[in-house]
Amino acid sequence: MNVSTQPQEPSRGRSSESFWGNERARRVLRGSDAIAYDTAPTEIARKCPALRLGSLDPADASVLQSASLARRRIEQTRPQSHNVGNRKRTQRFVPASTHTSSMRPIRSVLMLLQCVRSLTTFPAHAYAKELNAAVQAVRRAAKITTKLQRDLANVESATKDDASPVTVADVAAQCVVIDALSQLFPDDGFVAEESAADLLERGEKRCVEAAADAAGFSVEQLCSIVDTRRPDAKRWWVLDPIDGTKGFMRGAQYCTALSLIDVYEGDYEREAVVGVLGCPNLERDGSLGGGSDGDGVVVAAARGAGCFATPYDTDDWTPLATNPRSTWTDGLLIEGVAASHSDHGASERAARTLNLKSEPVRLDSQAKHALLAGGRGDLFTRLPRPGYVERVWDFAAAKVVVEEAGGAITDLKGRPIDVGLGTYLDASVEGIVASGAPALHSEALAAVNAGLAAKD
Ligand code: AMP
Ligand code: MG
């Protein structure tokens, strides 16, 4: 990943082609085949969320989205080795596999220059305040979770109704994230994984007391904050305070996954508009490292603004982009560790069909999507047992991150994931597939569905 210290300077007076490009990028990003080459600038301006939401004039909005656009253009022209925080520049450039016919050479060079300038701050966008708050909240959570993960033997845990584990760290992290967001956005609601009331009902008072202690609140304060929901709110935050609790308890990967759901013109009435994955155990270069010794990376995305990563301790934002591969051959599969959460046999069959590398990368949590977004893997599969209904906090942040990094994420039928329904995804969602290269997504879906239908 390329890094420079120069912040991007918005320029004015962009041509209508910039709008065309932004809309096109947004559609490529969603994995849609229906790219609107001839969409009129006025129509694009109407659809552009940054414009619709207010304060930006069209010229600004065009520029604000240009980092994401430039990156996607460049994606078409290079074999990336996108690593979070990798400061080496990609030296080798090859012709694009798709969409190159419309790229005039001069534009390509300009886009390239724009791309390599990179950022130290997240580019401005309509949800800048929310994204910044989410990143700070996730950082606050990591202060607690990293400390507790270093002392796992003394971390109180309990088992929930669905037999999944919950620890003091889950509850404490949920508390500080909701507390931080509630102070800034008192009207927003929350859809969050943990419930202090449920824990108390199950007789897990010690767990709640230890969480209050870790979060720095009284037990009463913690219970009230953790269970804040505001179900009538117009927009809401989706939070998994420790996604991958099993990984956390093994001293391995986990993440704090946070996403804002708001009204948005897209496939559904509401959409995840901001997504943050705080991954304290990922290395800065996007590799897995040795469990809890990772440097820590925060990956964040906002609709139309792109996907970026920064270390935990400083704001040093670098763009992330998925691998723009033209074939699945030698691609890398990323899946969960827990075989009970995803059918490893079916994904192995799909991997054989697609000629992927023989060994998948397995890790807990949506840190998988951070890797996919940074080009550290190519295909994500999650194939739960029949009848399991997915929870929204396992996919809302991932959806924005993957799509804004240039990938596609859908259910097994190829439908976009509706993350605006509340706690659960639609019960007809039987599994989730994400591809770094949207053009290859339908091939992946066919292989995964065939892998599920077949038995070795
Ligand atoms: P992963 O780390 O990818 O295995 O996903 C962790 C998430 O799996 C947790 O946050 C749970 O919400 C979810 N989960 C719990 N039980 C199941 C299950 N039986 N099948 C699929 N996902 C599950
Ligand atoms: Mg989870």
Side-chain angles (χ1 to χ4, degrees), residues 193 240 243 393-394:
E193 178 159 18
D240 194 340
D243 182 22
W393 47 74
D394 289 326

Side-chain angles (χ1 to χ4, degrees), residues 160 162-165 193-194 240 242-247 250 253-254 335-342 363-369 380-385 388-395:
K160 293 189 281 190
D162 63 359
S164 66
E193 178 159 18
E194 310 307 341
D240 194 340
I242 294 193
D243 182 22
T245 306
K246 288 180 178 175
R250 286 198 310 276
Q253 295 294 329
Y254 69 97
E335 63 184 351
V337 174
S340 57
H341 293 182
S342 195
L363 64 151
D364 299 279
S365 84
Q366 283 158 83
K368 292 188 269 298
H369 300 278
F380 161 88
T381 57
R382 181 186 186 88
L383 313 168
R385 58 169 167 68
Y388 179 79
V389 183
E390 296 282 9
R391 273 76 166 166
V392 69
W393 47 74
D394 289 326
F395 297 100

